Amino acid sequence: MAELGWLDGEGLRREARVRRALFFGLTLATSAFAGLLMLDILRANGLTPLEGVSLMFFFALFTWISGALWTAVAGFLVRVTGGDPAVPDADSVRGRKLRTRTAIVMPICNEDPVRVMAGLDAIWSSLAAEPEQHAFDLFILSDTSVPEIAAGEERMWRTLVARHGAAGRIFYRRRTQRTGRKAGNIADFVRNWGGAYECMIVLDADSVVSGRTMVTLARLMEANPRAGIIQSLPLPVGRETLFARLVQFASRLNGPMLASGLAFWQLGEGNYWGHNAILRIRPFAAHCAMPRLPGPAPLGGDVLSHDFVEAAFMRRAGYEVWMAPGLGESWEEVPSNVIDFAARDRRWAQGNLQHMKILPVRGLHWLSRIHLLTGIASYVTSPAWLAVLVISSIITCMAAVRGHRYFEPGAYTLFPNWPESRAGEIVSLLTLTVIVLLLPKLLGAILALMDRSLRRGFGGARRLLQSLLVEQVFSMLLAPAMMVFHSSFVVRTLLGYSTGWDAQPRSDRGVTYREALARHKWHMMLGCVWGGVILLLAPDFIWWMMPVLAGLVISALLTVWTSRVSLGRLARERGLLLTPEETAPPRELVAVAQSVAAGATKAFPAIDTAAVAAPAVPAAAPLRMEPLPLEGLRNPFRSRPPVTGVRSTG
């Protein structure tokens, strides 16, 4: 595959060893250096057990942010030098004729039919402009339980078929038994109709992918038979509240660079994010069926965050999983306010914590285990940060109350123990921390400033830098409440409290003061009590804690203000928080926005539904898709009955 830019198997393994040694070596060296500085600071006046615990948390957390730093640096260098020849890209397969067929599948459940069909209409219209459009069929896979929504889905599907003359190309199926949730919905398609296709492109209800990108994904899969999954980079678009615009700006500025950095060291052991990706159907059917986890919910039962697990199982079967960050024209939507964003994270936290039961499974690639650990750590780090901050506050307050002991009890000496200061080490550690936290954002801004068209897409150099400052301030203020949210999610999940997994709100919903107070009252109380204790016992320490305490105390106000569309539009009018997809919107996104604005009546006018009969689905031999016996799958919690394995039901 050298002529297509792909490394052969042995060459890929050699390259991976070098890159991962460099990445993990730099990450651990950075965190070790920071840990040694902290150790020197803490032991200057004697290292207490509480400080020792804080030091362990600090080292683990600094390793976490150091990994993000070196991923950003790798991505920056890849982008500056013009790309990574070892990673799949569009140029390597441009003009290649497709010989296989691909199914585009969109699982939906109680979604707004107007938004779903607006996205599918834009996707199919974009695909129709591609010479290879004949190689694709579209499947709408409904798990909707509300009859009125289901009726709207079917009516709009028939309108979509009639509008595009797509009988026999666009299909709609509604399940009455929602077994296995989204993963079960996909598995049902694979068993019944997957045998007619080589690959499937999986979309979410809010996904929009251009026809050009879908054709490129199919070509890349044909070019490398070793590839089992290729993940595109979905960028958030389409929302207008201030909160959503902050998320969209930050993701657009840094997302492509970070994705390039991930692809640099992950190579063929990448990850799958559950949508806007292409998967090879037969190995998926043979190896990626989700087991039912032992024990009761929330950690047992159906695997909720199945995408990481499917990527791990695909790699376990010997197929490669790739990130293709350079494809572009792949989009999704984000929640429009802090409350909805946190609700989504509550579901993801439970799903990722379930991965603790997948980690012991035998045969997984070590990097797949790293991905699973990363998903777990993305939520567990929040209670760890909270613990570090609380312990630091306790240590400081205790020292302020007790004062320094110049003479130890029972020590008969004329020479006092003078307090020692490590001012140089403190300044060095603070400087290093600021660099590790802020450099990734600065590198993303530098890349945008270096590219004229990209710079213009963000509103010009001055507006870009102003937007970066605004986003950083709001991120700093919003972070404490999200830290407490995530900490509570982890604790509640481990205590056995489960959550639902329904359709998320997909509109620019504002938050009322009453709703914000109901969700943030404990955050505000924590900030007030925490700050009051510090002011009483160690007032000088309040300035170090001010960003955290301020974010907690005004968390309800921040949630209300950032949920307002008016403030988001005001930012746009001032040229702030712009993205290239907004300043020069692609035709696919324009079509979606116009259809949603028009509503069901105008975008999908009434038609004679009898004129569009349900077409026959392509005949295919059924594919078997059952969970494989997974040795090592177990319950890591001793308080619940241990389970040694999961047997296939077939």
Side-chain angles (χ1 to χ4, degrees):
M1 297 295 172
E3 72 277 9
L4 296 176
W6 298 81
L7 295 172
D8 60 29
E10 183 56 36
L12 183 62
R13 285 190 288 273
R14 287 196 302 269
E15 187 72 14
R17 283 194 292 269
V18 172
R19 294 185 180 196
R20 290 164 191 169
L22 180 64
F23 170 76
F24 286 107
L26 290 170
T27 297
L28 292 174
T30 304
S31 57
F33 180 66
L36 290 173
L37 284 175
M38 178 61 81
L39 175 61
D40 199 32
I41 294 168
L42 293 177
R43 70 182 180 186
N45 295 290
L47 185 66
T48 67
L50 198 58
E51 289 172 335
V53 173
S54 177
L55 179 63
M56 289 188 292
F57 276 122
F58 175 83
F59 175 77
L61 292 169
F62 213 92
T63 302
W64 175 257
I65 61 175
S66 297
L69 167 69
W70 290 111
T71 296
V73 170
F76 176 81
L77 295 175
V78 166
R79 292 263 164 177
V80 165
T81 56
D84 187 342
V87 174
D89 60 49
D91 291 338
S92 65
V93 291
R94 194 178 306 279
R96 184 186 181 94
K97 298 296 183 182
L98 290 177
R99 302 185 304 274
T100 58
R101 296 187 60 75
T102 298
I104 305 166
V105 299
M106 178 182 280
I108 57 176
C109 181
N110 295 324
E111 301 281 353
D112 176 13
V114 174
R115 172 59 186 87
V116 170
M117 295 304 160
L120 291 175
D121 185 52
I123 290 170
W124 195 257
S125 297
S126 178
L127 186 61
E130 297 295 321
E132 304 284 13
Q133 57 89 21
H134 63 276
F136 297 84
D137 291 337
L138 172 61
F139 287 79
I140 306 164
L141 309 175
S142 175
D143 265 358
T144 294
S145 58
V146 180
E148 294 78 10
I149 296 178
E153 291 171 354
E154 183 168 352
R155 181 178 66 83
M156 292 187 184
W157 159 68
R158 292 180 184 276
T159 304
L160 196 63
V161 172
R163 173 179 296 179
H164 294 282
R169 299 286 307 283
I170 300 179
F171 307 95
Y172 173 84
R173 185 272 286 135
R174 180 181 172 220
R175 290 198 306 171
T176 55
Q177 299 294 326
R178 299 167 58 185
T179 306
R181 308 193 189 209
K182 179 182 175 181
N185 197 355
I186 296 288
D188 180 80
F189 161 79
V190 169
R191 292 191 194 99
N192 290 289
W193 303 290
Y197 302 92
E198 177 68 19
C199 299
M200 60 179 174
I201 295 175
V202 179
L203 305 177
D204 263 359
D206 59 359
S207 295
V208 179
V209 183
S210 74
R212 176 166 48 192
T213 294
M214 288 191 287
V215 170
T216 300
L217 286 169
R219 287 171 174 167
L220 288 170
M221 289 296 271
E222 279 196 3
N224 185 6
R226 303 191 310 268
I229 302 175
I230 300 178
Q231 174 70 60
S232 71
L233 174 63
L235 294 170
V237 295
R239 299 271 67 89
E240 292 203 68
T241 64
L242 180 59
F243 175 80
R245 294 179 64 80
L246 290 164
V247 175
Q248 288 168 181
F249 171 80
S251 298
R252 185 61 179 86
L253 185 65
N254 301 310
M257 176 188 69
L258 292 172
S260 294
L262 289 173
F264 173 82
W265 62 267
Q266 291 176 1
L267 292 175
E269 282 80 35
N271 213 347
Y272 170 44
W273 298 343
H275 58 93
N276 295 39
I278 188 168
L279 300 88
R280 200 175 299 278
I281 288 180
R282 282 172 176 77
F284 182 84
H287 304 286
C288 297
M290 289 295 97
R292 187 168 179 81
L293 297 177
L299 295 176
D302 292 333
V303 178
L304 301 183
S305 293
H306 53 89
D307 41 13
F308 281 31
V309 181
E310 287 162 346
F313 287 178
M314 183 70 80
R315 189 66 193 93
R316 180 177 184 245
Y319 288 85
E320 298 165 1
V321 180
W322 289 91
M323 160 66 72
L327 297 188
E329 299 181 345
S330 173
W331 304 283
E332 63 176 342
E333 294 176 354
V334 293
S336 61
N337 58 71
V338 172
I339 300 300
D340 291 342
F341 193 88
R344 187 185 69 172
D345 274 6
R346 172 68 180 93
R347 299 190 298 269
W348 286 1
Q350 178 177 329
N352 283 352
L353 288 173
Q354 285 183 319
H355 295 166
M356 290 186 290
K357 294 188 175 184
I358 302 293
L359 281 171
V361 170
R362 296 179 184 175
L364 298 183
H365 191 280
W366 69 269
L367 205 55
S368 296
R369 299 187 199 276
I370 293 293
H371 295 321
L372 295 172
L373 281 171
T374 299
I376 297 168
S378 61
Y379 294 96
V380 173
T381 50
S382 287
W385 280 117
L386 184 59
V388 167
L389 294 172
V390 170
I391 291 173
S392 300
S393 300
I394 292 172
I395 291 171
T396 303
C397 290
M398 289 175 60
V401 170
R402 184 181 57 189
H404 182 73
R405 292 184 177 181
Y406 291 88
F407 296 95
E408 294 296 331
Y412 300 99
T413 176
L414 297 176
F415 302 101
N417 295 319
W418 298 106
E420 295 186 35
S421 174
R422 293 287 192 269
E425 287 83 351
I426 293 173
V427 171
S428 298
L429 184 58
L430 286 175
T431 303
L432 179 61
T433 303
V434 170
I435 291 173
V436 170
L437 290 174
L438 297 186
L439 186 57
K441 294 187 177 183
L442 292 177
L443 292 178
I446 291 171
L447 284 175
L449 293 171
M450 292 171 60
D451 186 317
R452 178 179 297 180
S453 62
L454 195 57
R455 183 172 67 244
R456 189 183 304 116
F458 284 107
R462 183 165 63 91
R463 298 300 188 197
L464 169 61
L465 295 177
Q466 291 173 344
S467 299
L468 184 64
L469 178 61
V470 169
E471 190 276 333
Q472 180 59 40
V473 170
F474 274 98
S475 294
M476 181 177 64
L477 291 173
L478 291 168
M482 293 307 301
M483 173 184 66
V484 179
F485 266 135
H486 287 175
S487 299
S488 67
F489 298 160
V490 171
V491 171
R492 286 178 62 83
T493 299
L494 295 180
L495 289 177
Y497 293 95
S498 188
T499 185
W501 200 278
D502 298 322
Q504 69 182 41
R506 302 191 191 276
S507 62
D508 286 315
R509 186 179 76 87
V511 177
T512 65
Y513 283 102
R514 175 175 294 183
E515 183 182 4
L517 285 171
R519 297 301 301 273
H520 288 290
K521 59 180 180 292
W522 297 113
H523 302 168
M524 299 168 66
M525 186 178 299
L526 173 63
C528 290
V529 172
W530 195 348
V533 171
I534 292 175
L535 280 174
L536 180 65
L537 301 179
D540 292 341
F541 188 58
I542 195 71
W543 301 108
W544 293 96
M545 292 297 298
M546 187 59 70
V548 175
L549 299 176
L552 291 174
V553 171
I554 65 171
S555 56
L557 294 177
L558 281 173
T559 292
V560 173
W561 295 341
T562 57
S563 74
R564 290 179 174 171
V565 172
S566 58
L567 292 181
R569 289 175 177 168
L570 179 62
R572 183 180 62 189
E573 292 169 2
R574 299 293 177 86
L576 298 176
L577 305 176
L578 297 174
T579 64
E581 284 72 22
E582 186 175 20
T583 53
R587 66 180 186 274
E588 293 86 359
L589 299 183
V590 171
V592 172
Q594 290 176 344
S595 294
V596 172
T601 303
K602 293 182 179 179
F604 300 95
I607 64 167
D608 180 8
T609 56
V612 181
V617 179
L623 292 180
R624 180 182 175 84
M625 188 171 184
E626 300 293 348
L628 297 174
L630 299 178
E631 295 182 9
L633 184 61
R634 60 180 176 83
N635 190 333
F637 297 96
R638 295 181 181 275
S639 60
R640 293 175 180 170
V643 177
T644 58
V646 170
R647 296 181 182 275
S648 170
T649 58

